[in-house]
Amino acid sequence: MAKVLEGPGMGLLKKGGMSVPNYVVVTSTEWFEQSASAHAWLKESRLVVKAHEAVGSRMKLGLVKVDLDLAAAKRAVKEMIGKTLGGMTISQVIVSEMIPHKEEYYISVQSTREGAELLLASVGGIEIESNWDKVKKLSVPIGEIPSKNELTDLAKRAGFDKDLVPAVVEFAAKLYQCFDQEDAQYMEINPLVLRSTDRELVALDAVTLLDADARFRHPDWDFSFAAEFGRPYSESERAVMEVDSKIKGSVKFIEIPGGDTALLPAGGGASVFYTDAVVALGGKPANYAEYSGDPPDWAVEVLTEKVCFLPNIKRIIVGGAIANFTNVKKTFAGIMAGFRKAKAAGRMNGVEIWVRRGGPYEKEGLAAMKTLESEGFLIHVFDRYTPLTDIVDMSLKKESAASPRDQARSAKAGSGKAGEARR
Amino acid sequence: MSIVADRNTRVVIQGGPAGVNAARRMSEFCYLSKAPLTVQAFVFPPDAGKTIEVPYGGEIVSIPVYKTVAEAVVNYSEINTSLVYVGPDRAFAAAKEALNSESIRLVSMITEGVPERDTKLLSRIAQEKGKIFNGPSAIGIISAGECRLGVIGGAFDNLILSKLYRPGSFGVITKSGGLSNEIIWIASQFADGVTTAIGIGGDAYPGSDYVTYLEMFEKDPKTHAVVIVGEMGGDLEERAADWYAAKKRRIKLMAVISGFCQEVLPKGMKFGHAGAKEGMKGEGSARHKADRLREAGAIVPSTFGGLGPAIKEFYQELLLKGLVKESPAVEPEALPKLPKTIDELRKNGEVLVEPLIKTTLTDDRGEEPLYYGYPASELINQGYQIPHVIGLLWNKKLITQQEAEIIKRIIMLSADHGPAVSGALTTIIAACAGISMAQAIAAGMIMIGPRFGGAVTDAGKWFKYAVENKLSVDDFLNYMKANVGPVPGIGHRVKSVKNPDKRVKELVGYVKSLKIHTPHLDFALEVEKITTAKKDTLILNVDGTIAAVLVDMGFPVESLNGFFILARTIGLIGHWIDQKQQGSRLIRLFDYLINYAAPKKKEVPPLK
């Protein structure tokens, strides 16, 4: 799922034939002044100014200003742009016209296993949370579009006035079509309002989640996706995303401030179990990371460097299940190169490295990793006979679930493997 | 016994290189299981009509490539399964094509990054046709001892370590590819291994989910328990719990769930597979899933590490109840072994290979080529130039700056001699006939021989013979007349004493000005004095001059023609480019340039 900011979200609605307020997205006061001379509505309407960033609770943070005239809007734009809040800088502001209205409604479409659900209510705005029972649903199977009859029935069930039903049906049909054609996963308009001047339905706000995987068939998606966790991506995160977009396989990296246990595990599945294991023992992960799909060694090297450069880390967990086709020797070569660079930069002092892995060329990869010991790294290397997350237990100096390992070890004793579990 | 994939499964693979790699892995498994090769055809339009070679043990099997699934199933009527390995933009069309094929019952999609809308549409098609659509992003399906679809199971060694050559008692369903292997391994360490393991892919709405396969495992008598690996997000695990709780089930359900870390991590921070996203009000959280599964009666260890012991405990119960019998361990020696490659054997010192060729010149096995031991980049950094490289590669010597200057001059003055000479003319004719550069240059090159540019080696050879044997000029000329013929390097078609070759004068002048020891050049100049006295055009020509100078510098006789060939290549390339840029058209000789001395027209007699 990929979040789209309000501006481009409104753009998609407009493209789908729905009415939205006039708006401009600006990145500087000068730009806004130019816009003001180009658009009559900026002079004629009351205005709303909002920070156009992926940041939650904008209202609380004072990043939404309403009912302004042009002069007040200019002051608000000037005040907001460049403002820093918890490490992020506001670089975009959206200015839109206020739409005079009395009634507020709610409409959304969300992806489901079988297709999508259209949700509609004749209440909206901030009241929707407390009136969730008034939201009525229509399920639409994949490959179909809702019929006029179904939509009319939905509008009636949602309690719309008889004379408003045709307009609501038309709007809902357009929203559904927009959702379907744009490969959306979620589209929410709250509030949807009835403009007093011409009794037209207008979308006042748009929450839009698109399917990033469908980008290849939407050349007109000229916007970038917003970070989904209430803060913009860091420089390191962006660097890894950049690498990820270029390679076969994948590398992923998210920073978690304040942690001391760095994670460098393989696989989208195992990586979360490793994170769970750290948390379960009261440890503090410093990041989430993952590499998979036999990525090139240079990509793993970049990821490794970013992991090693996380501040104040005490240990690095290089975990992984038994790979199907990721070459352990090759990906470990990338990790080792990253470690060496970090060490040369003085980043590995006192940092303990814990390794567990299996898969193609596991013997060679683990043996190579073990040689780092002689280069002065604090490293512990384990093979497949040590259960997946035991290295986390050991690294956090807690009681490890030792019994299964011992059993496994004794079951296979004497087969001669690399790794500490054998010694 | 098994589900979904068995000994009757026959496969078409849709896709290119990744599909070929899968076919090789699948073939390894077939060989280990002593089963015939499951992959019968590829569908990959760019390579349609060709075959792809896949090793099966020590044998190489050729598998045909078709343009469409329809063609593949017409030729191989046993095909009942398709594996989709094409890119996300074409995956939908490929899978749809397979689902629409009458004989295909199962389509498993490995492709990652497929739009959700496409997956849902494919699921609907599969459902309407009563077929199975597995994936996308699904690593594959493996039934121990029977069939492997995709690379699930990993490397050959892992197949053996995880006892995948014979069925156990546990079914496995996972989203994660890496964890499928891990669970198979755990099941083989703590119990008797797996019946079938299935990767359903990590997308939010996979084509087939846990319930699809739980239903099948329930009907497979060999499977006594099924391990599922779940994760936060979506409701697939809740659906599995509902299925398990709905009525008394024969199989035991076991599960591990990931994503508990979400409870303490900053809100909104989501990661893992595409489908790992939390719903509203705790629904879809790891805890919610684990609780629901436990309530339904499943065994859910609180951590991943608890899974092995749980499997072991359940397996011991099965043994006690007599529901399964301990399967005797198969000695690895009794299993088929993959033939080793020459590389592996050599590394282990198990085989001695007689080299096919031997080189005493260069080595390209390191980071960069070594020219007779010297790294190319260091030569550049130290200021060495092309003539030095020639010295190394043709004479295995690092020559002096003075010698390099002589070689440079030789090349510069031999680079071209106009369009009329055999080499250039031939290249020009070829260029006009539309021939490409390499071939046109080669055509010009073919002209180099005894009468054109190819006399350098021979000239050097005989001058060297004379100097070595301390022959007088007269003795030399007599010897040549009696045993060889005209002296190579002496004589020119148009140049003469009166019309000297300025190139020769330049080179001789320069070399003589260096005041170095030049016995061969001196000898050649003495020869010229005698021969030009006999005939004006019998001058020391450019071939002879170059030869004498190079032999003086110690270059081996074998290398000498190389200087002319190298130098003239510059000119030939120039002529080809020139003709190309002019857009020259095909040329042919005019009749009046040919003396038609052939017989006049004759009557053809009847054939006898």
Side-chain angles (χ1 to χ4, degrees):
Chain A
M1 287 220 268
K3 188 171 180 159
V4 173
L5 292 176
E6 195 176 330
M10 288 287 194
L12 292 177
L13 295 181
K14 213 160 129 184
K15 183 180 152 202
M18 285 159 274
S19 294
V20 299
N22 287 310
Y23 67 90
V24 285
V25 176
V26 296
T27 53
S28 68
T29 326
E30 293 73 40
W31 187 351
F32 182 58
E33 305 224 328
Q34 276 175 25
S35 305
S37 53
H39 301 292
W41 63 267
L42 278 166
K43 290 175 212 117
E44 292 156 5
S45 321
R46 301 299 287 176
L47 302 171
V48 185
V49 177
K50 290 182 263 189
H52 196 239
E53 299 286 350
V55 50
S57 20
R58 283 182 293 184
M59 197 67 115
K60 234 191 259 172
L61 294 167
L63 299 178
V64 179
K65 300 262 154 86
V66 297
D67 200 13
L68 310 172
D69 61 14
L70 184 59
K74 275 182 195 168
R75 283 196 298 277
V77 169
K78 197 172 178 184
E79 192 187 309
M80 258 182 233
I81 284 184
K83 195 169 176 176
T84 51
L85 278 164
M88 70 161 287
T89 307
I90 301 203
S91 58
Q92 289 192 355
V93 165
I94 182 167
V95 182
S96 47
E97 64 172 326
M98 289 194 78
I99 301 292
H101 64 274
K102 290 199 188 78
E103 305 285 319
E104 296 198 333
Y105 316 119
Y106 173 91
I107 187 165
S108 70
V109 188
Q110 66 180 40
S111 176
T112 63
R113 174 181 320 283
E114 292 77 20
E117 262 173 8
L118 190 60
L119 282 75
L120 185 67
S122 55
V123 291
I126 48 170
E127 285 169 38
I128 195 70
E129 289 286 330
S130 49
N131 284 294
W132 199 248
D133 56 322
K134 291 189 180 157
V135 177
K136 300 300 169 199
K137 268 188 206 177
L138 173 66
S139 295
V140 187
I142 187 72
E144 295 178 20
I145 50 165
S147 71
K148 204 171 173 185
N149 283 345
E150 286 172 318
L151 290 172
T152 305
D153 174 62
L154 176 69
K156 282 181 184 161
R157 278 193 286 134
F160 281 95
D161 284 347
K162 211 175 166 189
D163 57 334
L164 200 54
V165 167
V168 171
V169 166
E170 195 194 329
F171 192 94
K174 281 179 183 165
L175 181 65
Y176 189 86
Q177 196 172 31
C178 178
F179 174 91
D180 200 38
Q181 285 179 357
E182 295 295 336
D183 275 295
Q185 289 169 322
Y186 187 63
M187 279 187 165
E188 183 191 74
I189 296 170
N190 186 32
L192 174 70
V193 304
L194 192 64
R195 185 157 54 200
S196 314
T197 47
D198 59 357
R199 294 188 63 74
E200 173 133 31
L201 288 168
V202 181
L204 281 204
D205 196 7
V207 179
T208 311
L209 297 179
L210 299 179
D211 185 350
D213 287 335
R215 180 149 227 163
F216 67 80
R217 58 181 170 219
H218 296 283
D220 63 330
W221 287 1
D222 55 357
F223 39 82
S224 56
F225 297 128
E228 276 175 73
F229 39 89
R231 65 162 171 86
Y233 294 115
S234 73
E235 211 172 291
S236 292
E237 287 166 350
R238 280 187 192 283
V240 174
M241 283 163 77
E242 173 82 21
V243 170
D244 186 49
S245 68
K246 283 185 202 150
I247 57 164
K248 169 187 82 72
S250 82
V251 289
K252 299 271 185 309
F253 181 70
I254 299 170
E255 292 174 24
I256 305 172
D260 60 5
T261 302
L263 288 157
L264 185 51
S271 56
V272 186
F273 277 107
Y274 275 102
T275 315
D276 281 0
V278 172
V279 169
L281 291 167
K284 287 199 177 109
N287 69 303
Y288 169 77
E290 181 262 330
Y291 64 92
S292 56
D294 202 23
D297 48 1
W298 65 266
V300 185
E301 183 181 333
V302 172
L303 176 66
T304 305
E305 274 182 76
K306 301 299 175 198
V307 167
C308 293
F309 276 75
L310 287 163
N312 307 319
I313 53 169
K314 293 192 181 128
R315 57 192 74 83
I316 302 175
I317 308 291
V318 185
I322 296 163
N324 286 291
F325 63 99
T326 296
N327 183 325
V328 175
K329 184 183 164 193
K330 199 182 73 180
T331 45
F332 271 20
I335 292 179
M336 289 165 66
F339 281 162
R340 287 187 181 120
K341 273 194 193 163
K343 188 166 189 283
R347 302 297 300 209
M348 302 297 279
N349 296 336
V351 176
E352 279 199 72
I353 303 166
W354 296 81
V355 182
R356 187 273 184 187
R357 185 71 162 136
Y361 302 98
E362 61 188 35
K363 278 183 205 164
E364 293 87 343
L366 292 165
M369 197 60 102
K370 195 129 178 58
T371 63
L372 286 183
E373 224 170 40
S374 62
E375 295 176 30
F377 285 91
L378 303 167
I379 187 164
H380 313 274
V381 182
F382 298 87
D383 60 18
R384 58 164 70 213
Y385 291 95
T386 297
L388 193 75
T389 55
D390 277 21
I391 52 168
V392 175
D393 306 20
M394 289 186 261
S395 74
L396 290 167
K397 308 271 187 232
K398 298 276 165 105
E399 274 298 308
S400 67
S403 51
R405 183 169 76 256
D406 290 344
Q407 284 158 2
R409 204 188 308 171
S410 58
K412 291 297 291 182
S415 64
K417 303 286 296 180
E420 288 196 2
R422 292 283 108 204
R423 295 191 313 196
Chain B
M1 290 287 278
S2 57
I3 66 164
V4 204
D6 58 28
R7 289 219 165 214
N8 296 319
T9 301
R10 292 294 179 272
V11 179
V12 56
I13 291 182
Q14 296 176 261
V20 174
N21 179 50
R24 287 168 189 264
R25 297 288 191 171
M26 289 160 72
S27 176
E28 287 178 4
F29 180 84
C30 295
Y31 182 69
L32 176 67
S33 313
K34 299 177 179 136
L37 188 56
T38 43
V39 181
Q40 297 195 317
F42 287 95
V43 170
F44 191 57
D47 285 346
K50 298 180 186 165
T51 59
I52 284 171
E53 277 59 48
V54 171
Y56 177 83
E59 231 180 283
I60 300 286
V61 183
S62 292
I63 301 174
V65 185
Y66 297 99
K67 202 170 168 188
T68 63
V69 172
E71 280 176 60
V73 297
V74 161
N75 285 283
Y76 290 89
S77 58
E78 289 174 299
I79 290 175
N80 51 18
T81 299
S82 166
L83 301 183
V84 179
Y85 277 89
V86 303
D89 53 338
R90 289 168 297 130
F92 175 77
K96 192 174 165 188
E97 189 192 350
L99 286 169
N100 282 334
S101 166
E102 196 69 28
S103 46
I104 289 177
R105 312 302 309 162
L106 165 68
V107 177
S108 189
M109 186 182 280
I110 292 79
T111 315
E112 294 188 19
V114 177
E116 262 179 36
R117 193 175 182 279
D118 297 1
T119 304
K120 289 184 200 173
L121 281 168
L122 290 169
S123 303
R124 184 171 175 174
I125 295 170
Q127 208 168 25
E128 284 167 0
K129 292 184 180 285
K131 298 181 176 185
I132 300 173
F133 172 59
N134 188 60
S137 326
I139 189 76
I141 299 171
I142 191 164
S143 293
E146 296 197 49
C147 179
R148 174 191 205 174
L149 301 174
V151 300
I152 184 171
F156 191 77
D157 291 349
N158 189 60
L159 299 177
I160 293 174
L161 284 170
S162 299
K163 304 192 182 86
L164 282 163
Y165 47 78
R166 59 115 184 90
S169 306
F170 291 77
V172 177
I173 315 170
T174 73
K175 290 184 177 179
S176 154
L179 288 176
S180 65
N181 256 5
E182 191 70 25
I183 306 290
I184 293 169
W185 164 244
I186 292 173
S188 72
Q189 291 296 292
F190 292 88
D192 61 353
V194 303
T195 48
T196 298
I198 298 157
I200 59 171
D203 286 13
Y205 303 117
S208 298
D209 62 6
Y210 301 119
V211 175
T212 315
Y213 299 112
L214 284 171
E215 291 273 10
M216 297 186 202
F217 277 126
E218 177 75 5
K219 292 179 196 130
D220 174 42
K222 189 81 181 70
T223 303
H224 293 276
V226 176
V227 182
I228 67 174
V229 180
E231 60 188 15
M232 71 216 154
D235 63 351
L236 298 187
E237 293 77 8
E238 284 85 346
R239 287 157 62 100
D242 289 347
W243 175 86
Y244 197 56
K247 64 179 189 191
K248 172 124 185 70
R249 303 293 182 182
R250 186 188 59 80
I251 51 170
K252 189 74 195 169
L253 182 59
M254 309 176 95
V256 276
I257 309 286
S258 71
F260 287 92
C261 57
Q262 296 289 355
E263 293 173 1
V264 300
L265 293 182
K267 208 172 180 284
M269 199 167 267
K270 282 155 197 170
F271 41 66
H273 291 124
K277 53 199 175 190
E278 213 171 311
M280 293 168 86
K281 291 158 197 154
E283 213 168 295
S285 73
R287 192 163 302 278
H288 185 261
K289 289 169 189 295
D291 289 347
R292 284 283 295 278
L293 283 159
R294 282 196 194 103
E295 284 161 23
I299 298 172
V300 187
S302 54
T303 63
F304 193 89
L307 183 63
I311 286 178
K312 184 176 174 121
E313 197 184 326
F314 183 75
Y315 179 62
Q316 296 301 330
E317 268 176 47
L318 289 177
L319 287 175
L320 274 176
K321 288 181 190 159
L323 286 169
V324 297
K325 276 190 211 130
E326 198 130 21
S327 48
V330 179
E331 288 303 316
E333 286 70 33
L335 293 167
K337 274 170 206 62
L338 278 193
K340 289 207 169 99
T341 64
I342 292 285
D343 260 1
E344 290 165 332
L345 289 171
R346 276 191 57 243
K347 260 183 214 155
N348 302 338
E350 289 169 27
V351 67
L352 191 68
V353 182
E354 192 161 323
L356 187 63
I357 61 163
K358 173 181 160 188
T359 178
T360 61
L361 197 59
T362 57
D363 193 336
D364 61 329
R365 291 170 299 176
E367 287 180 304
E368 64 169 320
L370 303 180
Y371 295 161
Y372 201 63
Y374 300 102
S377 66
E378 274 178 49
L379 290 171
I380 293 169
N381 292 337
Q382 303 271 344
Y384 287 95
Q385 290 172 343
I386 293 171
H388 296 98
V389 174
I390 294 170
L392 281 172
L393 296 184
W394 294 8
N395 196 24
K396 297 174 181 164
K397 271 188 194 137
L398 211 45
I399 58 174
T400 65
Q401 196 66 318
Q402 198 174 60
E403 290 169 326
E405 180 61 29
I406 295 172
I407 290 177
K408 189 185 92 185
R409 285 170 184 243
I410 288 174
I411 292 170
M412 285 174 74
L413 54 80
S414 316
D416 191 54
H417 203 193
V421 296
S422 320
L425 181 60
T426 308
T427 294
I428 288 170
I429 292 170
C432 291
I435 304 301
S436 64
M437 184 194 274
Q439 283 69 36
I441 304 310
M445 225 37 111
I446 287 169
M447 297 303 118
I448 298 174
R451 295 183 185 172
F452 169 66
V456 191
T457 289
D458 276 351
K461 176 175 154 192
W462 293 117
F463 290 149
K464 196 174 179 194
Y465 174 81
V467 172
E468 258 172 22
N469 292 293
K470 302 196 170 64
L471 297 183
S472 70
V473 173
D474 283 344
D475 287 350
F476 173 65
L477 288 174
N478 286 335
Y479 175 85
M480 294 301 283
K481 196 170 181 181
N483 298 297
V484 181
V487 181
I490 296 290
H492 199 280
R493 181 94 183 261
V494 289
K495 298 289 175 187
S496 64
V497 179
K498 285 175 210 119
N499 172 24
D501 189 335
K502 196 160 180 229
R503 300 173 300 171
V504 174
K505 276 190 78 179
E506 275 292 326
L507 184 61
V508 171
Y510 177 71
V511 172
K512 293 309 281 180
S513 76
L514 297 174
K515 311 254 181 276
I516 49 176
H517 184 53
T518 54
H520 298 90
L521 181 58
D522 297 347
F523 183 80
L525 290 169
E526 288 304 313
V527 170
E528 186 188 34
K529 277 183 197 158
I530 305 294
T531 52
T532 47
K534 288 178 189 161
K535 200 177 172 202
D536 192 36
T537 55
L538 291 180
I539 54 163
L540 177 61
N541 63 26
V542 74
D543 290 8
T545 314
I546 292 172
V549 170
L550 289 167
V551 173
D552 278 334
M553 280 162 58
F555 272 89
V557 167
E558 292 83 4
S559 74
L560 302 184
N561 271 344
F563 287 88
F564 182 80
I565 294 171
L566 174 68
R568 191 50 54 92
T569 303
I570 299 170
L572 296 183
I573 290 173
H575 284 294
W576 186 86
I577 295 170
D578 178 43
Q579 296 302 321
K580 235 7 200 199
Q581 288 178 338
Q582 293 179 49
S584 300
R585 300 169 59 180
L586 183 68
I587 52 171
R588 55 166 291 147
L589 290 183
F590 297 104
D591 290 356
Y592 54 78
L593 288 176
I594 300 166
N595 173 5
Y596 286 101
K600 295 270 178 287
K601 187 176 172 186
K602 293 183 202 175
E603 194 120 324
V604 179
L607 183 65
K608 274 176 196 161

